[in-house]
């Protein structure tokens, strides 16, 4: 297996394609943390790494894909967007877990931690994303 390397996406942003397996959640957390640090907003890392881990795990559990692509972008000055692309066109839906259930809470957590979240359908799959607001400089 070849090792993937993060690629700058330009606007500014970073992306990395990874296998659709649980170990990729750790790689995704490292990518997000490194991007936020490079942008000087490392204070968002704790929440951002939780978000990307949930998004990657949801793709692994529901998309049945071979690879996922993690994207970390700055679509506007005060926003960081964390996205996970997969090859499945099924739309993400919040679960309705029982109180005793161990699964089905991922998107509730994404909703609670992010400023907003959503998904974009692509020709071959979708990108599920969550955004964080960047605090203004002091």
């Amino acid at each position: 297996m070849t090792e993937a390397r993060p690629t700058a996406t330009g606007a500014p942003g970073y992306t990395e394609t990874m296998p659709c397996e649980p170990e990729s959640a750790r790689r995704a957390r490292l990518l997000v943390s490194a991007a936020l640090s490079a942008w000087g907003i490392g204070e968002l890392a704790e929440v951002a790494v939780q978000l990307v881990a949930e998004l990657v795990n949801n793709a692994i559990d529901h998309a049945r894909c071979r690879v996922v692509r993690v994207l970390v972008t700055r679509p506007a000055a005060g926003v960081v967007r964390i996205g996970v692309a997969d090859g499945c066109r099924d739309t993400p839906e919040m679960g309705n877990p029982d109180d005793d259930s161990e699964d089905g809470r991922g998107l509730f957590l994404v909703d609670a931690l992010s400023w907003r979240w959503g998904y974009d359908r692509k020709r071959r799959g979708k990108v599920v994303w969550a955004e964080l607001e960047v605090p203004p400089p002091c």
Side-chain angles (χ1 to χ4, degrees):
M1 178 169 120
T2 62
E3 184 174 332
R5 292 194 173 92
T7 306
T9 61
Y14 296 90
T15 184
E16 185 176 342
T17 300
M18 355 185 137
C20 197
E21 56 191 35
E23 294 77 17
S24 292
R26 180 179 184 278
R27 287 175 56 185
R29 289 191 304 268
L30 292 171
L31 174 67
V32 167
S33 182
L36 296 179
S37 179
W39 293 329
I41 51 174
E43 67 271 15
L44 296 177
E46 185 175 342
V47 171
V49 298
Q50 285 183 299
L51 285 170
V52 77
E54 287 299 329
L55 294 174
V56 168
N57 286 329
N58 281 348
I60 292 166
D61 291 345
H62 302 291
R64 310 274 189 255
C65 52
R66 287 188 18 236
V67 297
V68 294
R69 187 168 40 98
V70 177
L71 307 103
V72 190
T73 60
R74 299 287 306 270
V79 178
V80 171
R81 178 178 279 199
I82 299 162
V84 174
D86 63 55
C88 179
R89 292 191 43 87
D90 294 344
T91 59
E93 296 181 20
M94 283 203 214
N96 191 16
D98 296 336
D99 290 342
D100 298 333
S101 179
E102 293 183 20
D103 297 323
R105 291 182 177 80
L107 290 178
F108 284 108
L109 185 58
V110 169
D111 187 59
L113 293 175
S114 65
W115 170 54
R116 66 184 193 148
W117 72 276
Y119 64 92
D120 298 321
R121 285 186 185 253
K122 300 295 182 182
R123 193 175 63 214
R124 293 188 179 158
K126 67 182 172 303
V127 178
V128 182
W129 51 264
E131 292 181 341
L132 295 172
E133 290 184 295
V134 177
C138 298

